[in-house]
Every structure is written in C-alpha cells, then in structure tokens.
Amino acid sequence: MRLKVRIAALTAVVVVAGGLAAWASTAEGQSSPDVSGQAVVTRPAATPASSRPAATPASSRPPAGPVIEVAGAPRGVKAKGAVLADAATGQVLWGRDVDTERPMASITKVMTALLVLEGGDLGREIRVPKAAQSYAWSYGGESAGLHPGDVLTVQELLEALLLPSGADAAYTLANAYGPGMSAFLARMNATAAQMGMAHTHFTSPDGLPYPTETATYSTPSDMLKLGLAAMRYPVFRSMVDLRFYHLPKGPGHHQYWWDNTDDLIGSYPGAVGIKTGYTDNAGHCLLFEAVRSGRALIGVVLDSPATGPGAGAQDAERMLNWGFGLRSSG
C-alpha cells in the first residue's frame, strides 16, 4: 500500500430499489476557509461535548427532482471498475463492470468509520496501543503517525483514519469498538450484508492486502451504497472535505498534522470527499462526491492504472466533468 506519512507529530441503511437514495446534510465543526476556499480545521485538544457534531445520520429525503438526460459517456476513464450516480435521486448515469468484484484498498476504512459512527460516543477517549504502530508498518500501510500511549478521542481517531488514511487509527478503533479485531471484522461483514452489499467481504478494517491481495473486495455498486450511507452523517462529511487537520498538543497526546490523501479536495471545484485507496493489486481507487449548482454527484473508481499518485482523481474528474455537463429534463 502506498505509504504516505505526512505528520507534524512535532516530535519530528441504504438499499437499492430502482435506484440509490442519498441524503442532504451540512458539515459541522470549527472550520475556516483558506485562500482556495477549501475548509481547514484546527481543533482544541479537548473539544467540549456540546460543540461536537452529533454522531447521528441526517434524515433521508425521498428521491425527487428532474431526471438527468444521459448522452454519451465520459471519455478517457481508465479505471477497470467505475460508477457515477446522481446523489439526490439515485439515478445511475454511467458505469463500467459495476458488479465485478475487485480489491478496494483503503476505501475499506469508510466501513470502519461507519461502524464507529453507529456506535456513537465520539468524545470517548482511547489509548493508542503499542501494537497499532507496528501493525501499520509491518503490513506496509499508510500511517497517521500515532504515538503509542497517546490518549485521543474517537473523533480525533476518525480524523486520523480518514484524512491521512492511517492503518494505525483503523487498528485502534477496530479493537476498541469490536471489541477486538475478530469481533469488529464480523460486524463489518454483517453490516455489509444488511446493506445489501452482496459482493463485498472484509478481512481487515483498513483494506491492507492480507491474508491475500484480494481477500478484501467489493464492487463499484456496493461501494456506492457505502458512500451514500456514510455521507448521511454530518460529522463524517465535516471530516472528509478537509484539506488537512491540525490537533494541537494537549494533555495525554502529542501534536498532529494530517493531510487529506484525496487529490480532489482543494483542487476540484465542489469536491466534498470521500476516500482514497491504493495497493499494488487494487490500483488507484477513489470514492468521491462533488456538488455544483445544486447537483450532487457521487461515484467510485476501482483499479485506475498506476500512472501517478493522482490516477484515481484524474478518472473521477473526467466522470464528474461529464456528469455536470449533462442536462436535466423537467
């Protein structure tokens, strides 16, 4: 898995029934725009519980609105698996091998985050186990650079999971919310089944390629369901559209600075998330959403060829540009 540790640790459910439903929600949290207009966040070391975004999903809204008139297909998309949909109505606009099973790498972490959000108690404090650091490094995973022994809140660990794609954060959260890794993995697979993700299986909370390169797998259609479910949570949305997150040093923990691995954030107008992924076998993967002029589009690319670190984002841009250019009827 691509190892990208960019830290200033300063010691150095949704079911398809003729379409996919989506939800409108607003981002919460203490944020301020940078010069590009993209939100960045510095949160206090101890955020009062009353000011934290609630770990509850927004109410669903029924599919409504004009139908998008599909003409042609996006050009130049190199991903082996892909799908693009209208996030408001569930109308699938375009797809490629949408039900073919492929490894999805770190997009797996969205399911980990979803189970943690369903568990609630984002202010709960968890001590980072010593094994979290060795786990991330031994499997070649991306790391948030968590210091063993640091005490962080669940919300802070979710930031470490989703922005720098920390396998150490995934390990810490899975063991706390299982409780234990085996129990957490069982919950991941049970939840996938309940959501109708019939072609998805998890063997890790992070998408690392073990026990085999393809042991954790999904499809574009299933990942679309997962993205829609996670984006129902305002607190999730408030995390995945950040360019970076700064946690000042506080009682019981070091200072951290986590960059978002999603190349769309801060560069593609209207991008609001969601999650990157990469392994040698999975290729570049990206679950993404963008909003322009009242139209929200959500999609996924699996196995974009490794032409560069932004290969998945390039495919997503081609799909989004095409989708935003389509006309609506009615």
Side-chain angles (χ1 to χ4, degrees):
M1 180 171 285
R2 177 168 55 95
L3 184 58
K4 181 181 179 185
V5 186
R6 302 187 64 179
I7 321 137
L10 300 194
T11 48
V13 169
V14 180
V15 179
V16 176
L20 293 164
W23 297 265
S25 57
T26 57
E28 301 179 20
Q30 299 172 0
S31 61
S32 57
D34 69 356
V35 293
S36 69
Q38 183 64 40
V40 298
V41 164
T42 298
R43 286 199 176 97
T47 306
S50 60
S51 65
R52 299 187 189 109
T56 54
S59 299
S60 62
R61 67 183 183 192
V67 174
I68 297 176
E69 297 179 358
V70 177
R75 296 181 179 180
V77 177
K78 299 177 181 179
K80 293 181 180 178
V83 69
L84 182 71
D86 181 342
T89 66
Q91 179 188 359
V92 174
L93 306 177
W94 177 80
R96 173 183 292 162
D97 289 344
V98 297
D99 294 319
T100 299
E101 296 170 356
R102 304 181 188 280
M104 65 291 199
S106 287
I107 297 179
T108 297
K109 296 183 176 97
V110 176
M111 177 61 88
T112 297
L114 181 62
L115 291 185
V116 170
L117 290 170
E118 289 177 348
D121 195 8
L122 301 192
R124 172 185 174 187
E125 294 184 337
I126 298 175
R127 187 177 300 277
V128 178
K130 184 177 181 180
Q133 186 179 65
S134 58
Y135 169 84
W137 286 95
S138 64
Y139 287 105
E142 296 185 5
S143 170
L146 299 181
H147 291 259
D150 272 12
V151 177
L152 300 172
T153 67
V154 169
Q155 182 165 340
E156 291 158 356
L157 287 168
L158 284 171
E159 304 277 7
L161 175 79
L162 295 168
L163 270 67
S165 198
D168 46 357
Y171 181 93
T172 301
L173 287 167
N175 276 282
Y177 274 80
M181 185 65 72
S182 296
F184 193 82
L185 293 175
R187 289 181 57 205
M188 292 177 75
N189 287 306
T191 301
Q194 292 168 2
M195 294 172 63
M197 297 166 58
H199 297 282
T200 297
H201 183 71
F202 299 103
T203 59
S204 75
D206 40 51
L208 288 174
Y210 70 85
T212 69
E213 287 276 355
T214 58
T216 291
Y217 58 83
S218 189
T219 67
S221 290
D222 282 1
M223 289 292 93
L224 198 59
K225 296 176 186 178
L226 178 61
L228 286 166
M231 292 294 273
R232 289 183 64 192
Y233 286 82
V235 67
F236 181 88
R237 297 180 70 94
S238 75
M239 295 178 187
V240 296
D241 73 343
L242 297 176
R243 286 181 61 196
F244 52 84
Y245 175 90
H246 175 222
L247 178 65
K249 181 179 180 181
H253 64 76
H254 293 75
Q255 180 172 224
Y256 293 96
W257 187 286
W258 296 311
D259 289 345
N260 196 332
T261 60
D262 187 347
D263 289 334
L264 292 182
I265 302 300
S267 64
Y268 187 84
V272 294
I274 303 173
K275 187 70 191 75
T276 60
Y278 176 81
T279 66
D280 291 342
N281 191 274
H284 290 275
C285 304
L286 181 62
L287 178 62
F288 58 90
E289 183 173 332
V291 182
R292 286 188 187 175
S293 301
R295 176 179 291 181
L297 299 179
I298 186 170
V300 64
V301 292
L302 298 181
D303 200 1
S304 292
T307 56
Q314 292 169 10
D315 275 344
E317 286 185 18
R318 295 182 181 104
M319 293 164 62
L320 287 167
N321 288 339
W322 172 78
F324 284 126
L326 297 175
R327 298 175 59 183
S328 298
S329 61

